[in-house]
Amino acid sequence: MSTAILTGPPVAGSPLEADLRTLGFDVRTANDPTAAAELINAVPAQERVAVVDPRFVGHLHALRLALTDPRFPAAAVPGALTAQPAARAALTRAVGRIPVGAGTAHLTDVLTDTLTESLDRDEVGLHRVELGSLVATVALTPAQREDARDAVAAVDDEAVRLRTAVKSRDGFFTTYCISPYSRYLARWCARRGLTPNQVTTASLLTALIAAGCAATGTRGGFLAAGFLLLFSFVLDCTDGQLARYSLQYSTMGAWLDATFDRAKEYAYYAGLALGAARGGDDVWALALGAMVLMTCRHVVDFSFNEANHDATANTSPTAALSGKLDSVGWTVWVRRMIVLPIGERWAMIAVLTALTTPRIVFYALLIGCALAACYTTAGRVLRSLTRRARRTDRAAQALADLADSGPLAELIARSARGRGRTGSFLAPVMAFLSAAVLLVWVLAEDDPTSWLTVGVAVCSALLAGAAVARPLKGALDWLVPPFFRAGEYVTILVLAARVDVPGALPAAFGLVAAVAYHHYDTVYRIRGGTGAPPRWLVRATGGHEGRILVITVLAAALSPSGFTIALTALAGALALLVLIESIRFWVSSQAPAVHDEGEPA
């Protein structure tokens, strides 16, 4: 329940009260600041309260943006402001500070403006809505009211609402092939009371059906799979547009949207692999390779962004060049398409599924994503080397959380602490060697399923511990988590491929999927401002170095068929553990309401 308090001179015939009720507010009136303070105090502390000047003239959507957006503790436009429970105490203090009596008319004539300035000074996270072409003003005279009404009539706020429901920065395919009609689908959903989470779930179910069609291995199944995958992407765009259109933001929604995107894509890879197997073509290694490449690429994105989230003096010639290129329209779209974002990627997968074979789909996916990864990573390395930025403790902690170091690496890090210099290249070099030593061994050795591989895994863990012994504040320290991910995922892939037993690669696919979910979940928790998963969960999953050690021991100690069974059991146990904790956390999370505007490529 939300309460709106009208305080100021009444205006006959104004549609304001009707508009507020349309937005779900219980409307009350107060003749002076003292009465307004009494009404504010009477509203339960757990409810939202709005203060609106009766002389307000503006678009309904301007009021909606100011009074109903759940992401901000307080928000305002001229003539209207709102405070959620987190800002209610500040609003009460602001009303209590307003003097009453002679000489205070300049403070009480437009009370909403005075309260807005007071909340701004209190630093409660007040959000001043950017109106753009929308109108929101306090009309003090009949002439001003008439002019304001003319200005309102000149702008179609529903058109503005539809336009702003679309992401301001998106890929070429999404911008020109999906959003022109998906925004209307979002409005259709809003008018029927559907929520973004329901649309997100529908997108997941559609993608899973697409994966099932691909798993049939028939040409008709592949055609249906391609069509359904594209429709799933339409729904994937629609859920975010619905959230922006109806301001139904939530932490749970952002998590579902991001998590389901990965689940849809990787389930579809599995469906293609199953379909190919029905036709006698084993492409599980390609499917697992595609998942590994996509996950490592996303970790690069996440790590770089977290390392520079609140960096100071964040400038570089490379960034300046990028800014100049942004002023040349066609280069913007070319650079967005080069990175093969989710829209272009899914369109390519869908079309190739319908017209070619799963093997060709994976070849194209691996080549395209590898080129995109090289392009983006090279640019970020150049930016990091040429900028002069001081990274914060928060950024260092985020990178440490993304590294996913377990008990063994923690023990090694404690013994190595104090050696080396924070800000040097030691951490990424040690992380690279940790991954490289292990990968070169398992790729070059004739029989990597031996006890010698266990010894190499121990050496890899020693190097991993040295990499995280100091705070990760160096220019290239954001490369540490991607190196760890590549080392772990590719080791699992190679060992499963080298045992050459039916079922080993599908089991490895499931294991990497479970571990990748844990890593994505870590990212989304950090993005939501709630911190990384609890340490007990990281220790229980072994950390990246612990899992590698366990897997190499299993490969050395068991027969190929036994190793396959062990991988399957390990995948199931890890999936159950991380899913239960993740669902428990997100269902009970008190993180601020958000919606992901920066979906990784």
Side-chain angles (χ1 to χ4, degrees), residues 196-371:
N197 290 354
Q198 290 171 333
V199 178
T200 301
T201 303
S203 176
L204 173 66
L205 294 175
T206 303
L208 293 179
I209 295 172
C213 292
T216 63
T218 63
R219 178 50 51 193
F222 288 146
L223 284 169
F227 172 79
L228 288 171
L229 186 66
L230 281 178
F231 183 61
S232 174
F233 183 66
V234 172
L235 294 176
D236 183 55
C237 295
T238 300
D239 64 2
Q241 291 165 0
L242 175 58
R244 288 181 285 273
Y245 180 85
S246 57
L247 301 182
Q248 296 183 72
Y249 299 101
S250 69
T251 301
M252 173 69 79
W255 170 67
L256 288 177
D257 183 49
T259 303
F260 283 5
D261 278 351
R262 305 284 73 77
K264 288 180 286 189
E265 189 164 3
Y266 298 159
Y268 193 81
Y269 293 174
L272 283 175
L274 288 169
R278 286 179 177 272
D281 189 13
D282 186 355
V283 296
W284 274 107
L286 296 177
L288 180 51
M291 181 166 66
V292 168
L293 179 57
M294 284 306 308
T295 305
C296 290
R297 182 183 167 195
H298 286 157
V299 173
V300 169
D301 295 340
F302 297 142
S303 296
F304 179 81
N305 291 335
E306 287 303 323
N308 297 283
H309 177 75
D310 48 7
T312 57
N314 191 8
T315 59
S316 74
T318 310
L321 175 62
S322 179
K324 289 180 181 178
L325 289 175
D326 281 342
S327 64
V328 183
W330 65 270
T331 67
V332 175
W333 293 116
V334 169
R335 289 189 296 134
R336 290 187 190 178
M337 294 173 70
I338 287 175
V339 301
L340 203 64
I342 188 169
E344 278 77 356
R345 189 168 71 251
W346 282 27
M348 179 186 75
I349 294 171
V351 171
L352 290 178
T353 298
L355 301 179
T356 64
T357 65
R359 181 172 289 273
I360 293 176
V361 173
F362 285 124
Y363 281 152
L365 187 62
L366 286 166
I367 293 170
C369 289
L371 293 174

Side-chain angles (χ1 to χ4, degrees), residues 51 134 570 578:
V51 181
L134 296 174
L570 185 59
V578 298

Side-chain angles (χ1 to χ4, degrees), residues 75-89:
V77 293
L81 71 117
T82 185
Q84 292 202 71
R88 284 286 305 278

